[in-house]
Amino acid sequence: MLLNSSPSFNSFLFNSNSNFLSKNHKSQKSVPQTLRVVNSNDVDAFTEKSGYLFKLSSSEADSLNDYDLKKIAAIYKRKPFILLRRLFQIGSTFGRWLAARYVDSITEKSDLMFKIRAAELRQILLELGPAYIKIAQAVSSRPDLIPPSYLDELSLLQDRIAPFSTEVALNTIEQELGLPIDMIFSEISPEPTAAASLGQVYQARLRSNGQVVAVKVQRPGVQAAISLDILILHFIAGVVKKAGKLNSDLQAVVDEWASSLFREMDYIKEAKNGLKFRKLYGAIEDVIVPNMYVENTTRRVLVMEWVEGKKLSEVKDLYLVEVGVYCSFNQLLEYGFYHADPHPGNLLRTYDGKLAYIDFGMMGEFKQEFRDGFIEACLHLVNRDFEALAKDFVTLGLLPPTSDKEGVTKALTGVLQNAVAKGVSNISFGDLLGNLGTTMYKFKFQIPSYFSLVIRSLAVLEGIAIGFDPNYKVLGSTYPWIARKVLTDSSPQLRSSLQALLYEEGVFRIDRLESLLSESLRARTERVLVEDNDSKVAVKQILSFTLTEKGAFVREILLQEIAKGVDAFGRATLDSLTSMANTSIPFAASSSSSMTKEDMVNLRTFRRLMLLLAGLQKNGGSPVVRSCTYFVRQSWVHSFSVQGKVRNVPKLFFWMWFC
């Protein structure tokens, strides 16, 4: 039996033989060696240092169930001393730490004290509580940006946080579910298997069906602490924006993050998110999404399937990273419902080699128009169409409509030209953001609140992969799926984008079509990820794709271009026959060529296509021959039916010769 749990807590896992301890069990069972626990009898740093924030009335606590800045401000306006005490606590703790770092620098002890200061910073974050821990969790997923010592310490905040009292947790379960523990669970672990910023998890067995489950209980006081900290951060964001004359609405970004954080504190919403995520993505090969027990879930208690495994960041499994990229592609670009907090603690490699997603509190919605705009931006970036990319930024809300498009295009060309010069597989999402920094400031770029979570999701995903593959590029791995989607999607906007991409000033860019087709072939989810270096095999797959229903739009483009080529070939043939006839007749007047510049371009494109098909016919099997025959026959019929002139007769001889 596969046991399921939250990857947020996957460093502290039972094996399938772990013992449980009922609350009413009188004998003291020893905790099995396979269970890594922390002593919950000790007071955790958050409760010890920030416990004064918990003292809210029940009505005040209930009013904080949903994010409402006005309600939060109204509550703490009546509690000015708590607000001032929190400001002093934040300022003094960070101030002492920064002062110590400054002393280290002037005494030339920075290197010597580096690890000590990193540990001190982690302790400060633990004392200040969930809001700051959440920020640190996001930062800790970027090994390319954070020094190793700090990375090691901050990564401990993902799932190694001291738990609160088990007695408090069990009482919370009984109060929330309205039943004694032993009526809900036949067994429950004596200590939490893990603790995180918002809650802690126990392993239990449901009395109703015997299913082994994870029971997540919310930490007391998190709503009060997070509410006050967000109020402070919102104020600081406004000051920073004014002082730095920034274009982005930092307060809106804080509000978006705060809204997602408040949704994460509501375990009923998390359970519904988990069920929706399971429905949309649970069928993806090698992806595990645990079931949620909604009937046993409240705002502060969540019951879900238990999963066994290790953190994805602790195992060198590039295949599962690719599975994660593919799943993220589906989340962001297919359905728009995405996991906005994919830090290493939330991604688990099960013991049978599958990728488990858990902890569905922080989710995001990506609207259709923004999804299409994002795809178009990626296409234009890869193909170095920076003028179109500038327009995409307006569509996505990154640039105001009144911005200087010509200036932006010139700046983007200078900044991004080198980034894409090495090919799509070498484009780093993190590097792109870094390179755009100056340009974004100069041209008043804005970061829409909805986009901040998307950027965070992609950056965190790339950071996880970089942890064991420094050369990994999330955009390079995602682009094949973008290419496949733009080739197969029936969206009028994407088809218009494909048409615009393939035709530059009316001229067909066969190189761009070849690039899209070849990139789309890199999009796989099979376990054997082998790069196919045989171009003939790749083109066979391309032809097979164009004959499917999804390839209908591309097929029409190919037929149209081959028809143009056949027509140009007919003109060239007639010109050749006329020239030969004139040379055999003495004193005959030389005739001018009927070929136009457009005919010459079409003939070159046609020759390129025919060489491709001819090579396949000589080296391929019968399906390829049938594909080749189909394209030439349909193109000839199309051209003949349109033109209907005698000069198209040579095309018939060409088709008979070719196929």
Side-chain angles (χ1 to χ4, degrees):
M1 177 177 65
L2 178 66
L3 304 180
N4 287 307
S5 161
S6 172
S8 295
F9 313 104
N10 57 65
S11 293
F12 305 84
L13 294 175
F14 285 92
N15 67 12
S16 58
N17 297 318
S18 296
N19 294 319
F20 298 91
L21 181 63
S22 171
K23 182 186 177 187
N24 298 326
H25 204 295
K26 302 300 181 183
S27 62
Q28 295 295 318
K29 288 187 180 181
S30 61
V31 179
Q33 294 298 316
T34 53
L35 174 61
R36 299 166 59 189
V37 297
V38 282
N39 188 355
S40 64
N41 294 323
D42 296 335
V43 178
D44 62 284
F46 171 59
T47 301
E48 182 182 1
K49 298 293 184 180
S50 303
Y52 62 90
L53 298 174
F54 302 177
K55 297 175 178 61
L56 296 179
S57 67
S58 58
S59 61
E60 289 173 333
D62 290 340
S63 68
L64 297 178
N65 286 336
D66 297 307
Y67 177 63
D68 188 324
L69 191 66
K70 291 182 179 179
K71 288 183 179 179
I72 295 172
I75 289 174
Y76 287 104
K77 187 177 181 180
R78 299 192 297 269
K79 301 176 183 293
F81 292 109
I82 290 182
L83 176 59
L84 291 173
R85 182 176 177 180
R86 187 62 167 177
L87 285 169
F88 177 78
Q89 181 185 13
I90 295 170
S92 60
T93 51
F94 278 117
R96 286 195 302 271
W97 183 80
L98 291 172
R101 290 282 293 146
Y102 176 72
V103 171
D104 292 341
S105 64
I106 61 177
T107 57
E108 299 182 351
K109 293 182 179 180
S110 295
D111 294 339
L112 182 63
M113 300 295 291
F114 205 70
K115 290 184 178 181
I116 296 175
R117 300 304 179 212
E120 290 175 349
L121 177 61
R122 178 175 64 85
Q123 185 61 33
I124 288 173
L125 296 172
L126 286 171
E127 292 174 4
L128 293 179
Y132 297 93
I133 291 173
K134 284 291 181 182
I135 295 172
Q137 285 175 344
V139 174
S140 68
S141 298
R142 296 299 308 195
D144 53 330
L145 303 178
I146 305 299
S149 295
Y150 281 83
L151 187 68
D152 293 341
E153 291 292 336
L154 295 182
S155 63
L156 297 178
L157 297 174
Q158 291 166 1
D159 53 15
R160 300 187 188 182
I161 298 175
F164 57 92
S165 165
T166 290
E167 183 179 358
V168 172
L170 296 181
N171 288 336
T172 299
I173 295 173
E174 291 186 332
Q175 291 171 9
E176 290 289 310
L177 299 182
L179 291 170
I181 286 288
D182 55 3
M183 291 186 66
I184 307 167
F185 307 109
S186 58
E187 299 170 299
I188 190 167
S189 57
E191 298 287 346
T193 63
S197 57
L198 298 185
Q200 60 196 37
V201 164
Y202 294 82
Q203 190 187 43
R205 190 182 301 277
L206 285 173
R207 183 170 292 280
S208 59
N209 58 13
Q211 175 69 48
V212 179
V213 294
V215 184
K216 184 158 69 169
V217 187
Q218 192 169 107
R219 186 180 293 273
V222 293
Q223 286 179 313
I226 287 176
S227 299
L228 181 52
D229 288 337
I230 286 173
L231 182 65
I232 294 170
L233 289 172
H234 191 275
F235 172 76
I236 293 173
V239 172
V240 170
K241 181 184 177 182
K242 290 181 180 179
K245 298 180 180 179
L246 303 178
N247 304 307
S248 297
D249 189 348
L250 293 183
Q251 290 181 317
V253 173
V254 171
D255 288 337
E256 181 73 16
W257 174 69
S259 297
S260 66
L261 199 52
F262 267 74
R263 290 193 295 269
E264 189 175 2
M265 288 188 289
D266 186 343
Y267 289 168
I268 295 177
K269 290 180 180 178
E270 179 175 350
K272 291 179 179 178
N273 287 340
L275 291 175
K276 182 177 180 180
F277 196 91
R278 180 185 174 94
K279 180 180 179 181
L280 293 177
Y281 314 115
I284 294 177
E285 186 178 1
D286 294 325
V287 169
I288 294 291
V289 181
N291 192 22
M292 303 286 162
Y293 293 88
V294 180
E295 65 277 10
N296 298 118
T297 296
T298 68
R299 291 184 63 90
R300 299 177 62 200
V301 174
L302 172 66
V303 179
M304 61 193 297
E305 264 186 288
W306 177 274
V307 166
E308 293 257 4
K310 293 183 178 181
K311 286 195 297 185
L312 183 61
S313 58
E314 293 178 349
V315 292
K316 305 291 184 179
D317 195 332
L318 184 58
Y319 167 72
L320 284 188
V321 173
E322 294 289 348
V323 170
V325 169
Y326 172 65
C327 188
S328 294
F329 161 81
N330 274 269
Q331 294 170 44
L332 286 171
L333 304 181
E334 285 290 342
Y335 298 102
F337 181 70
Y338 65 96
H339 200 299
D341 192 26
H343 68 72
N346 289 335
L347 296 173
L348 178 71
R349 184 191 187 277
T350 64
Y351 292 134
D352 59 348
K354 298 182 183 296
L355 179 67
Y357 279 82
I358 311 187
D359 197 344
F360 306 101
M362 191 175 288
M363 310 297 289
E365 295 278 355
F366 206 18
K367 294 181 180 179
Q368 182 65 53
E369 60 267 29
F370 295 135
R371 301 205 298 267
D372 289 346
F374 184 80
I375 291 173
E376 290 176 321
C378 290
L379 284 174
H380 295 144
L381 171 66
V382 171
N383 289 282
R384 308 180 196 181
D385 189 348
F386 299 115
E387 182 177 356
L389 184 62
K391 296 178 181 177
D392 295 333
F393 286 161
V394 174
T395 302
L396 290 170
L398 298 171
L399 272 175
T402 56
S403 60
D404 178 12
K405 307 294 190 309
E406 186 176 345
V408 172
T409 300
K410 185 176 180 181
L412 291 176
T413 303
V415 170
L416 300 177
Q417 188 73 37
N418 293 332
V420 299
K422 296 180 181 179
V424 62
S425 61
N426 293 307
I427 298 177
S428 167
F429 184 76
D431 289 346
L432 284 179
L433 293 179
N435 292 336
L436 280 172
T438 304
T439 303
M440 293 175 72
Y441 181 81
K442 179 180 179 181
F443 291 97
K444 302 183 184 303
F445 271 65
Q446 307 170 45
I447 302 297
S449 56
Y450 81 90
F451 208 56
S452 60
L453 290 180
V454 175
I455 293 174
R456 181 181 183 274
S457 178
L458 290 174
V460 168
L461 189 64
E462 184 173 72
I464 294 171
I466 288 174
F468 59 86
D469 182 3
N471 297 318
Y472 186 85
K473 305 292 185 293
V474 70
L475 186 57
S477 294
T478 305
Y479 186 71
W481 301 105
I482 293 174
R484 176 168 289 188
K485 182 171 178 63
V486 80
L487 288 170
T488 60
D489 199 280
S490 59
S491 162
Q493 183 175 344
L494 290 185
R495 288 199 168 182
S496 175
S497 297
L498 178 60
Q499 189 85 16
L501 181 71
L502 297 181
Y503 290 91
E504 187 174 342
E505 297 181 354
V507 178
F508 179 62
R509 292 291 302 272
I510 186 174
D511 57 324
R512 290 184 175 180
L513 179 60
E514 287 176 341
S515 174
L516 279 174
L517 288 168
S518 60
E519 281 293 335
S520 71
L521 294 175
R522 292 203 299 121
R524 333 170 149 80
T525 56
E526 292 81 3
R527 181 165 294 280
V528 182
L529 298 173
V530 180
E531 290 296 332
D532 192 347
N533 294 318
D534 188 342
S535 60
K536 295 185 178 64
V537 174
V539 178
K540 288 179 189 178
Q541 292 176 294
I542 291 172
L543 285 174
S544 299
F545 161 74
T546 56
L547 293 177
T548 64
E549 183 180 352
K550 286 188 174 181
F553 187 66
V554 177
R555 181 169 66 249
E556 288 301 316
I557 292 176
L558 287 176
L559 288 174
Q560 178 180 319
E561 291 308 314
I562 294 177
K564 290 179 183 178
V566 171
D567 186 59
F569 179 82
R571 294 189 186 208
T573 303
L574 284 176
D575 281 352
S576 179
L577 292 175
T578 302
S579 177
M580 290 174 61
N582 287 337
T583 56
S584 63
I585 301 175
F587 308 109
S590 60
S591 60
S592 59
S593 173
S594 61
M595 296 284 288
T596 64
K597 289 184 178 180
E598 183 181 353
D599 288 329
M600 296 299 294
V601 172
N602 291 336
L603 193 58
R604 283 194 294 269
T605 300
F606 177 67
R607 179 176 180 274
R608 194 165 173 175
L609 289 170
M610 290 304 99
L611 286 174
L612 188 65
L613 295 173
L616 286 172
Q617 185 178 7
K618 293 177 182 178
N619 298 284
S622 58
V624 180
V625 175
R626 287 198 298 270
S627 301
C628 164
T629 304
Y630 171 84
F631 273 113
V632 178
R633 181 189 293 117
Q634 291 299 317
S635 302
W636 175 80
V637 170
H638 173 77
S639 182
F640 189 81
S641 63
V642 172
Q643 302 295 340
K645 296 181 180 179
V646 178
R647 62 183 175 83
N648 285 279
V649 173
K651 300 171 192 177
L652 176 61
F653 294 103
F654 166 79
W655 173 74
M656 292 173 63
W657 164 78
F658 187 81
C659 294

